[in-house]
Amino acid sequence: MLESAEILGLIAAACTTSSFVPQVYKTWKTRNVAGISLIMYFVLFIGVVLWLLYGIVINSLSVILANSITGLLVLIILILRIRYGLQHRK
Amino acid sequence: MLESAEILGLIAAACTTSSFVPQVYKTWKTRNVAGISLIMYFVLFIGVVLWLLYGIVINSLSVILANSITGLLVLIILILRIRYGLQHRK
């Protein structure tokens, strides 16, 4: 059985990870990326990959799970930001 | 001395936390929040607060440090998003 600390971690992970889903949806739908910082998503992606490595090293299920999915979602937003950002400039 | 795992965690924390600074700056300067998901920053803020509690429970310096500062930055973006979002509608 999971410890209560790990349950708290998993709920936290579920929140921070799922939070990026509405941003993916919104950006996908509206293609409006003018207000979104490219540098934020670039640095965030590097950070999330490092958190994933940290999770593997300390063997924390919450950290590994959260950062695998978050990394994917942040990467999607980063790609959409670059793609629609370039279209916007044309 | 810190273990190498904790050093990795602190570098990861520095990246994910500092990533929100350019978004705060951009939103503060441009007041353009049309592309930013309100739901994302609302759920993210709740998640970061839960991560902070998790960090306190498991006594992880990286998790506590990262999420205190991230929580503050995400709260600023959330407030700007609500404030400029309302102005945009007028």
Side-chain angles (χ1 to χ4, degrees):
Chain A
M1 218 177 121
L2 287 170
E3 287 176 54
S4 51
E6 281 308 302
I7 294 169
L8 178 62
L10 288 172
I11 298 169
C15 284
T16 49
T17 296
S18 65
S19 73
F20 292 96
V21 174
Q23 184 64 66
V24 169
Y25 179 78
K26 187 180 179 113
T27 308
W28 188 272
K29 275 291 231 189
T30 64
R31 299 185 174 202
N32 186 339
V33 294
I36 296 173
S37 166
L38 176 64
I39 307 166
M40 170 185 154
Y41 281 94
F42 184 74
V43 180
L44 186 59
F45 180 68
I46 294 167
V48 169
V49 171
L50 293 175
W51 272 121
L52 177 60
L53 295 175
Y54 176 75
I56 293 166
V57 173
I58 68 162
N59 198 25
S60 161
L61 180 66
S62 305
V63 178
I64 294 170
L65 255 178
N67 288 287
S68 309
I69 306 168
T70 305
L72 190 70
L73 292 167
V74 168
L75 184 64
I76 294 171
I77 298 169
L78 183 62
I79 291 168
L80 293 175
R81 172 62 184 79
I82 292 168
R83 190 172 157 188
Y84 298 144
L86 288 172
Q87 283 180 0
H88 199 75
R89 282 190 186 172
K90 277 176 194 168
Chain B
M1 218 177 122
L2 286 171
E3 287 176 54
S4 51
E6 281 309 301
I7 293 170
L8 178 62
L10 287 172
I11 297 169
C15 284
T16 49
T17 296
S18 65
S19 74
F20 292 96
V21 174
Q23 184 65 67
V24 169
Y25 179 77
K26 187 180 179 113
T27 308
W28 187 272
K29 275 290 230 187
T30 66
R31 298 186 175 201
N32 186 340
V33 295
I36 296 172
S37 167
L38 176 64
I39 306 167
M40 170 185 154
Y41 282 94
F42 184 74
V43 180
L44 186 59
F45 181 68
I46 295 169
V48 168
V49 170
L50 293 176
W51 273 121
L52 177 60
L53 295 175
Y54 175 75
I56 293 166
V57 172
I58 68 163
N59 199 25
S60 161
L61 180 65
S62 305
V63 178
I64 294 169
L65 254 179
N67 288 287
S68 308
I69 306 168
T70 304
L72 190 69
L73 292 167
V74 168
L75 184 65
I76 293 171
I77 299 170
L78 182 62
I79 291 168
L80 293 176
R81 173 61 184 80
I82 292 167
R83 189 171 157 189
Y84 297 143
L86 288 171
Q87 284 180 0
H88 199 75
R89 285 194 184 170
K90 276 175 196 168

